[in-house]
Amino acid sequence: MEHLSRLAVGQQRKPPIIVPLDDGVTLTFRHIPAGSFRMGQRGGEANEEPVTEVFVGEFWMGETPVTLEQYGVMAGWAGLDPNPSYFENLEDSARRPVEQVSWDDAMAVAVELRKRMEALDRLPRVHGVGLPSEAMWEYACRARTQTEYWSGDGEAALVEVGWHGEEWVKGGTHVVAGKRRPNAFGLHDMHGNVWEWCADVDEDDAYRMVVPGAVMPWPACGPRRKDDHRPRVLRGGSWDFTAWGCRSAYRFRRWPGLRHRLIGFRLCVFPGPVKQGPEARAESATGAKARRDDAAVAEGVDGADLNTNFPPRSGENSDA
């Protein structure tokens, strides 16, 4: 892994990408430098192990979850409801993370945002705009830390940086995006506030298939096939969730068509494919398995039902 460490140390942070969406409404992406990290957590959930060191190429990530006012502009481009939020009438609702947005909705606005950015010539070496892979999400969240939260271990560390533990039945809600301090990569709200969709299909054994030293593959940018109902990964926890579920390594899942008051998203800009290192495979075993699953779906093998309920994992709120 020595070559990966050199790459991580050698790359400098680049300026943010600021995209004007409408009068006074912008979307800021922070540069996430390439590097290696240990994905997962020992002693966490079974699906967070084994802990494996992997390499993630550079990309840009939204500095906050997409807010309601940002989403409203992009949803208009995509022909979607510009105001889907359950909490649409709260004070400062425009600056709070949008929620009740499905994985499909997030991908649809990403497609339209890419068109906007191309028209403005703001995409460096165009590759795509979309949701992060869960490896990219965890790498960006940790910001070169290995503790439960990027701010440290224990709930006291989480309180400093993440809004969590509120109860909807007692009037709890999410808060304005970016109120708590950012991590070393300039990202706010990576813990708590709203769950964030990732591009990946969820697999319980995904981490067991990752090859140590793997260069994690770029996520697909675009809509799913209509016959692909496999659950997608959610990360970060939410305002109505336990501290345990807000950890950097915690993995959650829901159907891609679900819209819920706890779920939002943040977008990423991908500058190009990651080059293969001298000791690393071009992609992880997880990526190869995803292609095998795609083939199975194409042959009609996957018969997942959107209404199937998941058994709860420890610390999981079955309401989401």
Side-chain angles (χ1 to χ4, degrees):
M1 300 298 296
E2 182 181 355
H3 71 289
L4 299 182
S5 299
R6 287 201 302 269
L7 284 169
V9 171
Q11 189 178 39
Q12 300 297 313
R13 294 284 302 282
K14 297 179 180 178
I17 298 173
I18 302 175
V19 185
L21 302 179
D22 201 355
D23 291 341
V25 181
T26 60
L27 188 58
T28 299
F29 293 91
R30 296 289 177 182
H31 180 245
I32 311 300
S36 59
F37 81 110
R38 295 194 301 277
M39 184 171 67
Q41 180 178 324
R42 291 185 178 89
E45 298 286 339
N47 67 353
E48 298 168 16
E49 296 191 55
V51 176
T52 306
E53 189 163 3
V54 297
F55 180 78
V56 175
E58 70 168 339
F59 61 101
W60 278 258
M61 177 177 265
E63 69 176 358
T64 69
V66 172
T67 65
L68 179 57
E69 65 179 355
Q70 292 167 339
Y71 182 80
V73 177
M74 296 185 289
W77 301 339
L80 298 172
D81 179 2
N83 192 355
S85 292
Y86 182 87
F87 300 108
E88 60 181 307
N89 296 319
L90 294 176
E91 181 182 2
D92 296 324
S93 60
R95 297 191 295 116
R96 297 176 189 238
V98 67
E99 21 75 30
Q100 294 201 145
V101 177
S102 69
W103 186 95
D104 297 317
D105 297 335
M107 280 295 191
V109 299
V111 169
E112 296 304 317
L113 180 61
R114 175 175 177 166
K115 295 176 184 176
R116 170 76 169 178
M117 294 177 73
E118 287 177 330
L120 295 171
D121 193 26
R122 289 177 182 269
L123 264 180
R125 300 199 319 274
V126 173
H127 177 68
V129 176
L131 296 171
S133 69
E134 63 171 326
M136 294 166 64
W137 190 96
E138 186 173 333
Y139 174 67
C141 177
R142 290 189 178 281
R144 296 179 179 149
T145 66
Q146 206 59 43
T147 46
E148 288 182 320
Y149 315 99
W150 67 257
S151 52
D153 289 318
E155 190 166 0
L158 171 61
V159 169
E160 298 178 6
V161 300
W163 187 248
H164 77 292
E166 295 292 300
E167 295 185 50
W168 175 70
V169 294
K170 295 182 179 180
T173 183
H174 60 345
V175 295
V176 171
K179 288 191 70 173
R180 280 167 166 69
R181 63 188 175 94
N183 68 10
F185 289 157
L187 305 175
H188 300 263
D189 298 321
M190 294 300 285
H191 300 299
N193 220 356
V194 291
W195 286 102
E196 298 180 12
W197 288 112
C198 290
D200 306 63
V201 171
D202 178 69
E203 299 287 352
D204 282 334
D205 62 348
Y207 282 27
R208 291 193 291 274
M209 300 187 68
V210 176
V211 177
V215 176
M216 301 305 286
W218 292 106
C221 299
R224 62 186 169 103
R225 290 191 304 273
K226 292 182 179 179
D227 60 351
D228 181 2
H229 304 314
R230 295 169 296 174
R232 266 51 176 185
V233 173
L234 289 160
R235 289 296 202 118
S238 78
W239 57 271
D240 188 7
F241 211 76
T242 62
W244 177 259
C246 294
R247 292 175 298 113
S248 301
Y250 190 81
R251 305 176 66 226
F252 203 48
R253 62 181 180 180
R254 281 296 179 260
W255 301 117
L258 176 68
R259 297 183 176 99
H260 196 279
R261 61 182 174 272
L262 302 185
I263 299 176
F265 69 103
R266 89 174 65 207
L267 293 173
C268 293
V269 174
F270 313 123
V274 180
K275 293 183 179 179
Q276 182 177 353
E279 300 171 18
R281 291 178 53 172
E283 62 179 22
S284 72
T286 308
K289 186 176 190 300
R291 288 199 304 276
R292 292 198 297 274
D293 287 345
D294 286 344
V297 170
E299 294 170 4
V301 175
D302 189 322
D305 182 351
L306 275 171
N307 296 316
T308 301
N309 292 320
F310 290 106
R313 294 169 178 161
S314 63
E316 179 172 324
N317 183 338
S318 61
D319 189 38

